[in-house]
Amino acid sequence: MKARVHITLKSGVLDPQGKAIHHALDSLGFSGVDDVRQGKYIELDLQETDREKARADVEDMCRKLLANTVIERFSIDLD
């Protein structure tokens, strides 16, 4: 089973990398971009075959290591 984890900063948290990307896009002529928020994308190949157990395991991984839940939120997709 494959898990795809998207991790982004919570709204209200400053995103200096997003601001830098926005500035770079603007300087390259992409002036139609209002805001940029950057994040992380992680793919995990899991041995687990039970969907509920896999989701619980990945949520545990996110809370313990992959995401800083004080300032980040995460979403999980399983295939």
Side-chain angles (χ1 to χ4, degrees):
M1 185 174 304
K2 184 170 290 222
R4 292 177 177 84
V5 181
H6 295 267
I7 302 167
T8 57
L9 290 170
K10 291 179 178 178
S11 59
V13 176
L14 295 178
D15 186 356
Q17 285 182 298
K19 293 291 182 200
I21 293 167
H22 183 262
H23 178 72
L25 289 171
D26 192 50
S27 69
L28 290 171
F30 298 102
S31 58
V33 178
D34 289 331
D35 192 28
V36 177
R37 304 282 289 173
Q38 71 87 39
K40 297 180 272 189
Y41 172 75
I42 300 170
E43 281 189 1
L44 303 164
D45 287 319
L46 306 172
Q47 294 178 357
E48 185 60 60
T49 57
D50 180 87
R51 193 170 186 81
E52 297 297 319
K53 174 76 168 98
R55 180 171 297 281
D57 286 348
V58 175
E59 284 182 10
D60 201 29
M61 291 176 203
C62 288
R63 293 185 202 292
K64 290 183 177 178
L65 176 69
L66 301 178
N68 178 349
T69 57
V70 173
I71 62 169
E72 294 175 318
R73 62 178 176 240
F74 61 88
S75 64
I76 300 167
D77 297 318
L78 296 176
D79 289 333

